[in-house]
Amino acid sequence: MEILIFAIVAGVIALAFAGLRVISVLREDEGDEAMRGIARSIQLGAAAFLKREYIVLSVFVAIVFVIILLFIDLDILDKNPLRTFDSDAPATAISYLIGAILSAAAGYLGMTVAVRANVRTAAKAREGLNGALRIAFNSGTVMGMTVVGLGILGLTLLYLIWQDPIPLVGFAFGASSIALFARVGGGIFTKAADVGADLVGKVEAGIPEDDPRNPATIADNVGDNVGDVAGMGADLFESYVGSVVATMSLAAIAIVGAAGIGAGFGQSDIFQSGADAFKGAAVVLPLLVAAIGIVSAIVASFFVRTGEDSSQGRLLWALRAGVYGASLLVLIGAAIAIAVIGLKWDLFWAILIGLMAGQLIGTVTEGFTSTDGFSIGRFRYSPTINLAKQSEAGAGPVLIGGLSLGMLSTAIPLVTIVIAIALANEVAGFYGIALAAVGMLAPLGVTLATDAYGPVADNAGGIAQQASLPPEVRARTDALDQLGNTTAATGKGFAIGSAALTALALLATYAFVTNITTLDLLNWEVMIGVLIGALMPFLFAALSMGAVGRAAQAMVEEVRRQFREKPGIMDGTEEPDYERAVSISTDGALREMVVPGLLAVIVPVVVGAVISAESLGGLLVGAIAAGAMLAIMMANAGGAWDNAKKYVEEGHFGGKGSEAHKAAVIGDTVGDPFKDTSGPSLNILLKLMAIVAVVFGPLFV
């Protein structure tokens, strides 16, 4: 009970700290009237999109709520073995609804602050770099603390109510379903606007990025917030709660002790005492680790600061100080907690494995996507700079080089995930694997802050350009934006790594609920499932990228139309129709997000119902294997293309307006849906399909 009280207190502290950061951000100067006017346009556009998106999603949530109520909680088919709790309440359905609401709330609250922090960051950048970094980072901290605070409070309070972790799978289902639609919808919006702005504005019209003459500029700024802030907040909210729920569920599985499953988990000798101690400690340990992570992230957030006119390397280390500091504090806190509770040290090693794996994946991601690259003594290797140099040969070599870089970048992260799985399983079985994912995401409050600050910095640069602020201001915001591309890729690496571990733990949970002890690859049903599962990430990526392409085409045509019909836009005698561009991105995103989102829910159900439960298990295996690699490749290739373009824009290889710059812009255009739409959505896809399988799996036996 003390653990649960600590978790509740930690959640309240996280939300209170987020509130203090909100006050701190809003106290800052908003700049002149021109800056405030641009910021208001961004705020109104972002709020309008989210309102329409959430209306559409509410219909989906209501339908799924009824389905869960009928087939899981009321068990009208009499096939659900998971009603192990003494309650007549529709626990799973209620948990699903709350998870969906909190996931949407996390994204909305983070975005609300971000669209107000952007103009304040631009205003502060007039004075120097450090102040601008602090405002943008504080805004990101609001997102980070809101996500972990709502996540741990929701899970802890529902566990206290139901007295069983199994219904919490519904909570994770609600979070994942909202996250997928939010990521896909927001990603389509932002990339359609971005592509339209870049191809017509930068390449065809030859005007700078974020130029106020570009009709797609405001839509591009809005997209940064609805996709990279609101969408990302919902994304990592579901990653966070998914890892905790998977770990708690595995503990509950060991208590139930399904035949043939418990032994395979390798959990029989983890705890020093019997089943009661196991139930009391193992189930709530993930909540304790998450609570420790919250406190650690708050302390470590004060470590983030830098000097004026810092290099990219120094800026990166300023953010690393927060992440590394939080990770170290998590380890110290976990060690103390395990010692006090009286659990075996095997569990500490599982947490350490998760943290080390996450840091290694993040470091490798930075090396492949930042211009600093990899440095060991005198040796320096920068794949991103090499990619920028390829722009001198044209768009073709840039595209080939980016794809090659992305594929190569999968090797070390995937090997890291494999080693982490092997080591965590060795020390604590499948429970250890799930706990490693919890450890990886424990410092999420600060790691998400380093990720979420990037869109704020990007918007600040746009406001600086549109408000005609001095060039040194835009130089400072560009430095923060370039860093944001790297930290965003790092955050995606963390999410993908944890997704693989969490999905594997959920696969074990699925084996329990369906009483499957083995998956025989020589069984044709299992093999069909594996192949369908491997297909799903590619099909999902194809649909989401195609959606971006269609929405972007509409935006390109609209921007061209305005330039053609309003020639005065170029000389400043006519105003672009920003609202029309925002409306086009909104309509395209809401229309195109439906099919990819439904696919993730419908396909697992169809495979399980039409073929077999074993085939659905194979589907999860195939999806984990293919999805993890594709997600890493797309995220890293996209980040490298983006930073290669910015490196050219800094004056290298011909600088802005050169042929090399045009080639780099085309590479970045291809990379945009890679890193901001399809890539980050894939980790949600893996967990959502696994959660759908866990929830509905008993119906297929």
Side-chain angles (χ1 to χ4, degrees):
M1 180 59 70
E2 291 81 5
I3 293 176
L4 298 179
I5 293 174
F6 178 63
I8 293 173
V9 171
V12 172
I13 291 174
L15 296 179
F17 188 74
L20 292 174
R21 283 288 186 249
V22 170
I23 296 172
S24 171
V25 169
L26 296 182
R27 282 176 176 172
E28 298 291 340
D29 178 32
E30 294 183 81
D32 56 34
E33 181 57 36
M35 297 170 67
R36 292 194 295 270
I38 297 166
R40 280 195 296 271
S41 297
I42 298 171
Q43 292 167 21
L44 292 172
F49 172 80
L50 278 195
K51 181 180 179 180
R52 289 182 60 184
E53 182 181 52
Y54 286 171
I55 290 174
V56 173
L57 292 183
S58 65
V59 177
F60 172 81
V61 169
I63 294 172
V64 176
F65 174 86
V66 173
I67 293 172
I68 294 175
L69 175 66
L70 293 176
F71 293 99
I72 304 303
D73 288 322
L74 299 181
D75 195 17
I76 62 176
L77 299 180
D78 195 25
K79 299 186 70 173
N80 181 19
L82 298 185
R83 288 193 60 84
T84 59
F85 48 94
D86 297 324
S87 174
D88 294 327
T92 305
I94 292 175
S95 298
Y96 169 83
L97 184 61
I98 294 174
I101 292 172
L102 292 184
S103 179
Y108 180 81
L109 292 172
M111 189 208 70
T112 300
V113 177
V115 295
R116 288 161 175 78
N118 51 17
V119 67
R120 291 167 169 83
T121 300
K124 202 69 174 180
R126 296 177 299 181
E127 303 174 11
L129 189 63
N130 186 57
L133 173 66
R134 289 300 309 176
I135 293 175
F137 180 76
N138 286 344
S139 170
T141 303
V142 174
M143 170 64 82
M145 290 301 160
T146 300
V147 164
V148 297
L150 292 177
I152 198 169
L153 280 175
L155 288 172
T156 305
L157 293 175
L158 285 174
Y159 178 69
L160 283 172
I161 294 171
W162 308 133
Q163 293 294 303
D164 192 298
I166 298 300
L168 300 184
V169 174
F171 185 90
F173 186 13
S176 293
S177 55
I178 291 295
L180 187 66
F181 282 106
R183 252 308 188 185
V184 173
I188 294 171
F189 184 109
T190 183
K191 294 306 108 179
D194 200 2
V195 169
D198 283 354
L199 287 184
V200 184
K202 294 168 86 173
V203 177
E204 295 182 8
I207 58 179
E209 185 171 7
D210 297 315
D211 193 294
R213 293 172 293 179
N214 195 326
T217 295
I218 296 296
D220 188 10
N221 295 146
V222 171
D224 289 337
N225 292 284
V226 300
D228 296 337
V229 179
M232 179 183 59
D235 176 356
L236 290 175
F237 179 87
E238 74 86 26
S239 295
Y240 186 72
V241 301
S243 65
V244 174
V245 169
T247 312
M248 296 176 71
S249 298
L250 283 176
I253 287 170
I255 297 166
V256 175
I261 300 294
F265 288 169
Q267 296 169 174
S268 58
D269 62 345
I270 294 176
F271 298 91
Q272 296 174 348
S273 47
D276 290 341
F278 185 85
K279 183 175 181 179
V283 174
V284 298
L285 179 62
L287 293 172
L288 177 59
V289 175
I292 292 170
I294 289 174
V295 177
S296 301
I298 291 174
V299 174
S301 68
F302 294 98
F303 300 164
V304 179
R305 59 183 66 250
T306 189
E308 302 300 336
D309 301 319
S310 294
S311 64
Q312 279 294 306
R314 182 65 189 87
L315 288 171
L316 187 57
W317 273 106
L319 296 181
R320 279 178 176 172
V323 176
Y324 291 166
S327 299
L328 180 60
L329 292 172
V330 167
L331 285 176
I332 295 172
I336 295 172
I338 289 172
V340 171
I341 296 175
L343 300 176
K344 285 192 173 182
W345 280 100
D346 293 346
L347 301 180
F348 171 80
W349 300 125
I351 296 170
L352 175 62
I353 290 166
L355 277 167
M356 290 182 64
Q359 296 300 333
L360 181 57
I361 292 172
T363 300
V364 172
T365 300
E366 290 170 5
F368 276 102
T369 58
S370 72
T371 53
D372 286 336
F374 300 93
S375 298
I376 303 176
R378 290 185 172 181
F379 171 79
R380 184 187 179 193
Y381 169 60
S382 177
T384 296
I385 291 179
N386 292 343
L387 182 62
K389 183 172 178 57
Q390 289 179 285
S391 66
E392 293 181 308
V398 169
L399 296 177
I400 294 171
L403 290 172
S404 173
L405 182 154
M407 293 177 185
L408 180 63
S409 72
T410 64
I412 297 177
L414 260 294
V415 170
T416 301
I417 293 171
V418 168
I419 294 174
I421 290 172
L423 293 177
N425 182 76
E426 181 66 24
V427 298
F430 272 86
Y431 181 84
I433 294 172
L435 193 60
V438 175
M440 188 181 292
L441 291 173
L444 184 63
V446 70
T447 56
L448 180 52
T450 64
D451 194 347
Y453 107 98
V456 175
D458 191 4
N459 266 206
I463 292 171
Q465 183 72 37
Q466 294 169 65
S468 302
L469 297 184
E472 62 267 21
V473 177
R474 183 59 196 261
R476 292 168 184 147
T477 60
D478 281 351
L480 296 177
D481 182 28
Q482 185 175 349
L483 178 64
N485 289 327
T486 300
T487 59
T490 302
K492 294 180 180 75
F494 270 90
I496 295 164
S498 67
L501 299 179
T502 302
L504 187 58
L506 289 168
L507 174 60
T509 308
Y510 173 76
F512 165 72
V513 302
T514 56
N515 201 28
I516 296 174
T517 58
T518 59
L519 290 172
D520 185 1
L521 290 178
L522 297 180
N523 182 323
W524 70 270
E525 294 180 347
V526 176
M527 181 53 68
I528 287 177
V530 170
L531 294 175
I532 295 174
L535 169 66
M536 283 295 294
F538 289 91
L539 181 60
F540 182 87
L543 290 172
S544 56
M545 289 187 68
V548 170
R550 288 186 293 273
Q553 183 178 1
M555 180 62 71
V556 167
E557 292 173 354
E558 172 61 21
V559 175
R560 286 172 175 169
R561 182 195 67 80
Q562 292 199 33
F563 279 139
R564 184 176 61 251
E565 297 180 2
K566 296 183 175 183
I569 289 177
M570 293 300 292
D571 60 17
T573 58
E574 290 186 89
E575 286 287 326
D577 188 351
Y578 298 122
E579 292 184 7
R580 176 59 181 164
V582 171
S583 177
I584 286 176
S585 268
T586 300
D587 293 340
L590 295 178
R591 182 178 59 253
E592 298 284 357
M593 76 177 185
V594 175
V595 174
L598 291 178
L599 191 73
V601 178
I602 293 174
V603 170
V605 174
V606 171
V607 169
V610 175
I611 305 177
S612 67
E614 288 79 6
S615 186
L616 179 52
L619 179 146
L620 300 182
V621 173
I624 294 170
M629 288 185 288
L630 185 61
I632 294 172
M633 187 279 288
M634 298 185 81
N636 290 350
W641 271 316
D642 197 345
N643 278 338
K645 177 203 68 174
K646 285 184 168 58
Y647 190 75
V648 174
E649 290 176 342
E650 290 175 356
H652 304 280
F653 310 122
K656 292 183 178 180
S658 65
E659 292 301 314
H661 181 226
K662 292 180 180 179
V665 169
I666 292 173
D668 179 42
T669 301
V670 174
D672 276 338
F674 268 50
K675 69 180 177 66
D676 291 327
T677 306
S678 301
S681 299
L682 287 174
N683 75 82
I684 308 173
L685 176 73
L686 302 183
K687 287 171 291 185
L688 179 56
M689 290 196 300
I691 291 170
V692 169
V694 172
V695 172
F696 296 104
L699 306 181
F700 311 137
V701 179

